[in-house]
Structures are given as structure tokens and as C-alpha cells.
Amino acid sequence: MSLIDFTENFLASKKDYFTEVSEYIFRHPEIRFEEYQSSAYLADQCEKQGFAVERGAGGIETAFVATYGKGQPFIGFLGEFDALSGLGQEPDEASYKPSSQNAGHGCGHNLLGTGAFAAACAAKAYLEEKGLPGTVRFFGCPGEEGGSGKTFMEREGVFEGLDIALSWHPSPSNSIMSLSSLANYQVYFKFKGLASHAANSPHLGRSALDAVELMNVGVQYLREHIISEARIHYAVTNTGGLSPNVVQADAEVLYLVRAPKIEQVDEIYKRVVKIAEGAALMTETELTIRFDKACSNYVPNRALEKVLYESLTEIGVEPPSKEEKAFAKSIFNSLSEGEKNGYLEGMRGFGYAGDGSEFEGKYLSESISPYAASDEVLSGSTDVADVSWNVPTAQLSTSTSALGTPLHTWQMTSQGISTNAHKAMLRSAGALALTAIKLFEQPDGLQPVKEEFEAFSAKNPYTNPIPADVKPSKLARS
């Protein structure tokens, strides 16, 4: 039996099982570092499939690692399972129908975690059948959405010893994710003032809300004077209450600073801090800065990407059914004109390198994009990046959603357990598993991967961007 046949037969035999796992996580959406049910369920499934499981990996309550085998090659699969606040949506609907749950899998992490788990199971099964040396490890990674769980895990040495790491992400594209990503810092700025009657004695008060507003205005002026690739986002997490006749004594704003390189983020962040200090000085308030999380820019490994691309093309794309095409069309029709017209731009962020001609009259990607190593930067961030600085890493994407579907939308959630999404999930699992199996069979294939990684590392020393005293935190709620 060929390596491809083994991989496809194994996943086909467990299709219903992996679909069930994905649906469970989908129906139990939990936000960053609160994935208690999802994490426990997935860890239990790992044990049922014969993995030895360590819970609480890296000191994070909802992180775990599942291991099978011993010796080299040592191959890791990265899985996620956190959801997003505010994206609860009934599945398989072409219109907005919010579910009873506030959170939802608007980034497809129910698929991501299950697909990586399925790949680990297939690789484990191959080692068992052939009696080969090698280690398979599945990483249950919480808090990717705004929490940088993997960056915390890397800081604690959770990924040490791996020869390679493999992952994937749902999207409208079938492609190798060959782009770098934006590094970021996420930081809270809290101002403490003095309450007073806003009409009778406003001169006695010191407004923390004024400080937040002045800070935000200052950062608006800063935007003109930073590199164009950078992004600065913010959310006011505490306005100081609901009474306009009280001078607000407490207020807080959360900032997310992004740039192509972590050193650029740090430079911009220091300027933002100066603006915050100026706002506190102008309002005579006290400023407290709390570092929340950070992640580095992603480092692609081209040698590993080529092996992964070969595996993806060998697994191929199963044609969608008539019903899947119709649902994709209805989702596409729900998008804005900007989303429809810009669908190719969104796919390029996942490594799509074609001209779009193959999508004429279609609403789902039925082909695999040519592989093209790109120097462009994805306009988003991922904590996979901090794994990639320490372990040769490669990622792919498969078409779990209709063309034009943006991540972090109700449309993405709606497609999260569709038959098309699960086909694409198993497509990713097949490509990831086949890559691992090839390297178990021919460990010499790791040599160019390691040489490329070592050449980069020699010139680019790594420092974890999260300070040692910062701990993973749950999403702040006002």
C-alpha cells in the first residue's frame, strides 16, 4: 500500500469520528484561556486514541500535549480550539441567525484543532503499523485569538525537542501559507483620576476618561509617522461608568500594535507609551500599564513547505457536491460588494498565487494553488510565529468556506460544520499526515529543512516577546 493510500484509507475509515469531534468543539465555543470543555474533550479523545496526555502544559490550564512513540524524527502538530466572542451563529444558514451562545467559531478553530488531531492520529497509526522509530506529538494550544497561547507555551519550553512543526488554517483557499505575518504587542493602559460632581465641583475632579480620549487622539496623530505596514488598534474597555454628571475616576483602553518585525512593534509601542504618559500628565491622572500578550512575526521554512505542497497535491481536492456548491453560492451572495470584489486579495493572504481564472462561475475553490514562496506579509498575526522561530514550521490552508468569506464573521461560523468544511478539514489532515509519514520513512528529508532553519537562526537570535512576569489572562469584560 502506498503512503498516500494508507493516509487516505485511515482518514476515510474515521471520517465520522473526526466529524463528531469537530462538531462537539463547534457546539461548545469558548474564548481564550476558557476552553475548559473543548480542551478536556480533545485531550480525552487523544487518550482514547492511544496518546499519553500531559494536561496543563506550560502552566496554562487549558493547554495540553499528547505524545506517541519515541526517538527521531520528532514531529509536532499544532491544534487550536478557541472561539471568538460575539460570533455565535446557527450553522448551515445563509443569513445572520445568532445562536443562544455569544461566542462562535468564526475562525474555524473547531476544524483546525480536529484536523491537526486527525493528522497526528494518522501519523501515529503509520508508526504502529510499520514499527518505525519516531515520535508524534499533538499540541492542544489555547488562546490563539488575542491570547498568544503558543507564545506563552514557547516561553515555557513546551515545543523543545521537535524536528518540525506542522499546522493549517481554514480559509477559502487550497494553498501553502507561505507568507510571513505581523508581529504584535497587546497592552492595557489604565488611568486613575479623582471623582467629583461634574456640575457643582468639576474643578476638583481629574478625569480618567479625558486621559483615555487624549491618548487616543495622540495615537491618531502618530499614525502618520509610522511605517505604512504597521497597524494600531484599540478598544476602550472601561469608560468610567454610566453617569455623565460624575467626573470619571477610572478608565482603561486596550491597544494592539502590529508591524512586520517584532523590533518595529517595540519601537512603535514605546512611542505609544510616551503618548499615554503625556495624556496622564495633561489630566493629572495616574497611569498603569499592563502588558497582556505578544507574538513575533512568522518565519516560513521553504524546504518544509515544498514537502507539504507535494503532499497537498497528492491528496488532491474532492469535487464539491451540488448541495455544497449551492450553499457556497448563497453564502457568497450574503457578502458585501467589497467582500465579493476583493475575494482574491483575501485568498492571497493564505498563499494563493493564481490569477483567479479558475474560479469563473464558481463559489468554492476546487483546485490547489501553485506554490510560490512569497516575501509578502500577511495582514494579520499568529502565535504559530513563535514556534517557527524555534522549530522549522510549515502551514497550509484548505477551502473550508466559500470564496470571499472573511474570517471572524458570522458567515465563517455558519460554514463551520458543513460537509464541505469537513471535507477540507480531512484534506488538510491528509496533507499534514502524509508529510510526517514521508519523513518517518526517509528521515534524510529533514536535512535541507534543518539547514535552512539553522542558517536563519544563526543570523536572527530569538527573544520571546512576552516578559517573564506576564501570565496568560482571560479576556477582560467590562
Side-chain angles (χ1 to χ4, degrees):
M1 183 184 297
S2 71
L3 304 185
I4 301 169
D5 287 343
F6 178 91
T7 305
E8 291 183 330
N9 289 347
F10 175 85
L11 293 172
S13 70
K14 289 185 171 290
K15 174 184 174 181
D16 291 344
Y17 169 69
F18 291 124
T19 297
E20 179 183 319
V21 173
S22 168
E23 289 185 351
Y24 179 93
I25 298 172
F26 180 90
R27 297 190 186 282
H28 296 80
E30 299 163 301
I31 60 176
R32 76 178 213 189
F33 303 125
E34 297 182 25
E35 313 95 332
Y36 301 113
Q37 295 181 84
S38 300
S39 173
Y41 174 80
L42 198 48
D44 287 347
Q45 298 310 309
C46 287
E47 288 181 329
K48 289 178 180 179
Q49 295 304 315
F51 289 88
V53 176
E54 175 197 350
R55 290 170 169 80
I60 303 174
E61 193 174 4
T62 53
F64 67 89
V65 294
T67 308
Y68 173 82
K70 62 181 179 179
Q72 308 301 121
F74 193 166
I75 297 177
F77 298 90
L78 310 179
E80 300 167 14
F81 38 80
D82 57 328
L84 285 154
S85 179
L87 286 180
Q89 160 72 22
E90 293 296 332
D92 302 317
E93 296 286 348
S95 60
Y96 178 50
K97 292 186 178 179
S99 67
S100 59
Q101 297 167 306
N102 175 266
H105 280 282
C107 211
H109 289 183
N110 62 299
L111 299 164
L112 197 168
T114 306
F117 168 56
C121 289
K124 169 184 174 292
Y126 190 81
L127 287 181
E128 286 179 309
E129 179 165 306
K130 301 298 181 180
L132 292 172
T135 305
V136 176
R137 179 165 288 174
F138 173 71
F139 293 87
C141 304
E144 191 276 336
E145 298 290 1
S148 290
K150 296 183 197 66
T151 311
F152 283 103
M153 293 169 73
E154 189 288 323
R155 192 185 67 183
E156 302 306 316
V158 174
F159 303 105
E160 286 182 4
L162 290 179
D163 288 313
I164 63 168
L166 298 169
S167 192
W168 77 288
H169 203 288
S171 84
S173 179
N174 297 296
S175 51
I176 299 300
M177 296 172 65
S178 60
L179 281 67
S180 184
S181 61
L182 295 176
N184 70 47
Y185 285 1
Q186 185 160 286
V187 184
Y188 288 94
F189 295 86
K190 183 176 182 179
F191 295 90
K192 178 69 175 178
L194 185 64
S196 188
H197 194 293
N200 183 54
S201 54
H203 57 290
L204 299 179
R206 298 294 183 265
S207 174
L209 183 58
D210 284 355
V212 165
E213 292 192 287
L214 284 166
M215 178 184 175
N216 292 343
V217 169
V219 172
Q220 300 290 20
Y221 281 101
L222 175 64
R223 294 177 197 278
E224 182 184 357
H225 305 288
I226 60 176
I227 57 174
S228 59
E229 300 88 351
R231 300 286 186 271
I232 306 178
H233 322 291
Y234 70 91
V236 178
T237 55
N238 179 12
T239 60
L242 303 175
S243 300
N245 61 339
V246 176
V247 175
Q248 293 89 351
D250 295 281
E252 182 183 70
V253 61
L254 176 63
Y255 266 81
L256 176 59
V257 180
R258 306 191 208 232
K261 305 291 184 184
I262 195 68
E263 56 267 26
Q264 295 168 329
V265 173
D266 190 66
E267 178 185 347
I268 295 168
Y269 165 69
K270 288 174 180 175
R271 298 177 73 181
V272 171
V273 168
K274 290 179 180 179
I275 291 170
E277 291 171 341
L281 183 64
M282 285 187 285
T283 55
E284 296 184 334
T285 55
E286 295 177 6
L287 170 64
T288 302
I289 298 174
R290 181 166 66 85
F291 201 102
D292 184 49
K293 68 96 180 182
C295 65
S296 303
N297 46 291
Y298 176 70
V299 180
N301 186 286
R302 304 309 185 189
L304 185 55
E305 286 179 347
K306 290 175 184 176
V307 181
L308 186 58
Y309 177 69
E310 178 185 67
S311 297
L312 179 59
T313 57
E314 288 170 343
I315 293 296
V317 179
E318 181 182 350
S321 68
K322 184 184 299 184
E323 293 77 16
E324 290 165 349
K325 291 179 180 179
F327 183 48
K329 181 178 180 179
S330 64
I331 288 289
F332 186 83
N333 289 336
S334 76
L335 303 177
S336 69
E337 289 305 309
E339 290 166 338
K340 292 175 183 176
N341 294 332
Y343 77 92
L344 276 183
E345 180 181 351
M347 293 176 70
R348 294 198 202 288
F350 289 91
Y352 175 74
D355 61 6
S357 57
E358 71 267 37
F359 303 133
E360 187 70 32
K362 296 180 180 179
Y363 301 94
L364 281 172
S365 175
E366 302 176 32
S367 58
I368 295 170
S369 167
Y371 171 67
S374 175
D375 293 328
E376 295 183 17
V377 179
L378 170 68
S379 295
S381 305
T382 172
D383 59 5
V384 176
D386 289 280
V387 180
S388 74
W389 277 82
N390 295 276
V391 178
T393 303
Q395 304 179 92
L396 60 81
S397 186
T398 54
S399 55
T400 62
S401 54
L403 298 177
T405 305
L407 304 186
H408 297 195
T409 60
W410 68 260
Q411 288 98 333
M412 189 71 178
T413 307
S414 184
Q415 296 171 83
I417 53 173
S418 67
T419 56
N420 173 72
H422 284 137
K423 282 182 181 177
M425 176 187 79
L426 293 176
R427 186 180 315 138
S428 286
L432 296 173
L434 183 57
T435 299
I437 288 170
K438 287 177 180 177
L439 295 173
F440 285 135
E441 279 286 349
Q442 297 183 333
D444 289 348
L446 285 169
Q447 191 61 32
V449 173
K450 290 184 175 181
E451 289 177 355
E452 178 183 336
F453 177 76
E454 289 166 1
F456 174 84
S457 299
K459 297 180 180 179
N460 300 274
Y462 172 77
T463 300
N464 191 288
I466 300 178
D469 62 339
V470 175
K471 304 301 181 185
S473 63
K474 298 173 184 177
L475 188 67
R477 292 178 172 86
S478 57

